[in-house]
Amino acid sequence: MTRATAGGMMAAMPTRAPSPSSPQSPAPLPLSHGRGRTRAGAALLVCLLTVILATPGAAAASPADPAAQPSGADLGPDRLPHCAAVVAAMSPRDRLAQRIMVGVDAADPATTAETVRATQVGGIFVGGNATALLTDQALRGVQAMSRIPLAVAADDEGGRVQRIDDLDGELPSARKMAAQLTPEQVQQLGLQRGRQQLARGITMNLAPVVDLGGQPAGAVIGDRSFGTDPDTVASYAAAFAEGERKAGVFSVLKHFPGHGRAVGDSHKGRVTAPSLDELRSADLKPYATLLGPGGPLADGRTGVLVGHLDVPGLTTGLPSSLTPAVYQLLRTEYGFAGLVLTDDLGAMKAVTGTFELPEAVERALAAGADMALWSSGGRVSPVLDGLAQALAAGRIDPGANDAAVTRVLKAKRACS
């Protein structure tokens, strides 16, 4: 038996006599059998070392030289690669793909994996009640198809809107949480739920809702809201989001700039919210509290989802998700520098009643959304084709596009 020495040569190890019951080991070859070749090889090795050491710059490659050691100097303080280098290495089409979140069929892991492999989208949205994609670690296989970590999003608010209740138990509605639990208990609930989500492969929860709502429980917002008081809503939303974040799940506040007191349901048609001045006095306060300077969720680990709302004094003819002034309001007045997504662009008539999907996605990204979401699945290649044409024609600004891709990658902890 032999082992490698520090010099790379082989030294003889003591051998143990075989027991009577073990098969006889072959006798070692006499050392003299290859002595001539060993001497010649040693002489050649000496010559090679002499040449290497005499070559200029060879000393710089010596392990003793600190400059030759891995230093992490090209990484950020969190040991992630710098985003500028990551984005620069991506093709224009791959950058645009990172700005797409497409709905997938949770009953069909194989098709989901192929969609990700073929398109390299930035995220997928898991909707409906099917669970095949959320069991047996199916999402690991989907993640393996993506060259960049994939955002896996779900609506898991609690109450009427949740995704893993059949697997991990039900979550109370926001209204019930606020009525029956303290913020500290809600944070623990968020932590537990976040751990369950992450264990199943969900990395982003499109929750909590921060809309103000005094509507009947079954209304479009209804019991999805923590209440009608902005401070109460902010307190409970912060607690739930912080629990999720502690578990490692990216949280998303919705529906900016405020759906709770709007008239209508954006799933069914256009919706009119109170005027901008009225929203500022109430509905927008949770965003200011949570995301403003020094806010508890203003550290880049929480995003914002923009709804499809008509807001007097803010929007003019287009729903909020397609209106540049809405994104400017969030970025400038509220100082939010994190990830911004749209609400569903493919299955909500507030948008689909006017625009086909490719145009809606282009308008949303050009207006200021970082990611465009649609739940209806498919159609990724035609959308990407349209976005590539828009980028080439200048309808999507290249600098703004790179900045949005950077925010997407940061949210997914792919770079810093």
Side-chain angles (χ1 to χ4, degrees):
M1 184 180 287
T2 60
R3 64 182 176 87
T5 66
M9 300 178 67
M10 306 300 289
M13 289 286 289
T15 58
R16 183 178 60 185
S19 65
S21 60
S22 63
Q24 183 66 36
S25 300
L29 291 173
L31 291 177
S32 61
H33 213 64
R35 187 172 296 154
R37 288 195 297 270
T38 301
R39 288 174 177 168
L44 178 59
L45 179 60
V46 171
C47 291
L48 287 172
L49 287 172
T50 302
V51 172
I52 291 171
L53 292 174
T55 302
S62 168
D65 187 346
Q69 302 305 304
S71 67
D74 58 341
L75 302 176
D78 49 9
R79 308 272 62 88
L80 292 173
H82 293 292
C83 286
V86 176
V87 174
M90 299 169 67
S91 70
R93 190 178 182 89
D94 282 346
R95 296 181 202 186
L96 291 166
Q98 284 298 305
R99 301 184 68 184
I100 286 176
M101 178 173 283
V102 62
V104 295
D105 183 356
D108 191 352
T111 299
T112 300
E114 175 56 23
T115 296
V116 172
R117 185 205 64 78
T119 63
Q120 295 298 305
V121 290
I124 58 174
F125 172 77
V126 181
N129 296 316
T131 59
L133 199 58
L134 300 173
T135 56
D136 300 323
Q137 297 300 309
L139 280 166
R140 286 191 178 184
V142 176
Q143 282 282 4
M145 297 295 103
S146 184
R147 294 190 296 271
I148 291 175
L150 183 70
V152 179
D155 281 322
D156 200 34
E157 306 169 10
R160 291 177 289 145
V161 182
Q162 49 188 309
R163 290 292 170 262
I164 60 174
D165 45 314
D166 288 342
L167 300 170
D168 295 309
E170 291 193 359
L171 194 66
S173 70
R175 180 174 290 181
K176 188 171 289 186
M177 289 185 206
Q180 300 179 355
L181 302 173
T182 66
E184 292 74 21
Q185 289 172 321
V186 169
Q187 183 178 120
Q188 288 303 309
L189 197 61
L191 175 62
Q192 177 185 348
R193 193 61 160 199
R195 287 170 173 167
Q196 293 169 335
Q197 292 160 352
L198 201 63
R200 297 197 175 278
I202 296 170
T203 66
M204 179 183 291
N205 190 12
L206 304 185
V209 170
V210 292
D211 296 321
L212 307 186
Q215 304 166 327
V220 59
I221 300 300
D223 61 356
R224 299 167 65 191
S225 168
F226 289 106
T228 58
D229 174 62
D231 293 335
T232 299
V233 169
S235 176
Y236 277 92
F240 185 80
E242 189 54 44
E244 293 258 81
R245 287 146 46 106
K246 284 183 177 180
V249 174
F250 188 89
S251 60
V252 178
L253 309 183
K254 61 185 185 185
H255 307 78
F256 189 86
H259 201 313
R261 297 191 295 147
V263 177
D265 181 347
S266 53
H267 295 86
K268 299 176 181 179
R270 298 295 285 267
V271 172
T272 301
S275 70
L276 178 57
D277 287 340
E278 291 182 78
L279 291 180
R280 280 195 178 107
S281 70
D283 304 68
L284 283 166
K285 283 187 174 181
Y287 293 99
T289 300
L290 300 176
L291 301 177
L297 304 181
D299 58 1
R301 294 185 295 141
T302 294
V304 172
L305 182 145
V306 175
H308 309 311
L309 308 167
D310 292 314
V311 181
L314 181 62
T315 63
T316 53
L318 293 174
S320 50
S321 56
L322 308 183
T323 300
V326 174
Y327 298 95
Q328 293 166 8
L329 175 73
L330 180 59
R331 298 290 190 202
T332 57
E333 186 165 331
Y334 295 95
F336 182 66
L339 182 71
V340 181
L341 306 88
T342 70
D343 207 344
D344 190 345
L345 295 170
M348 300 179 76
K349 290 185 178 179
V351 173
T352 61
T354 306
F355 300 103
E356 294 294 327
L357 181 65
E359 183 179 1
V361 172
E362 178 186 325
R363 282 177 174 267
L365 297 189
D370 297 320
M371 294 189 86
L373 161 68
W374 72 90
S375 67
S376 49
R379 298 177 287 176
V380 177
S381 292
V383 169
L384 275 175
D385 290 342
L387 292 178
Q389 294 170 6
L391 184 64
R395 296 194 301 275
I396 294 178
D397 178 74
N401 186 60
D402 287 356
V405 175
T406 298
R407 286 189 287 268
V408 172
L409 297 179
K410 283 185 175 180
K412 297 194 293 182
R413 297 282 296 164
C415 63
S416 68

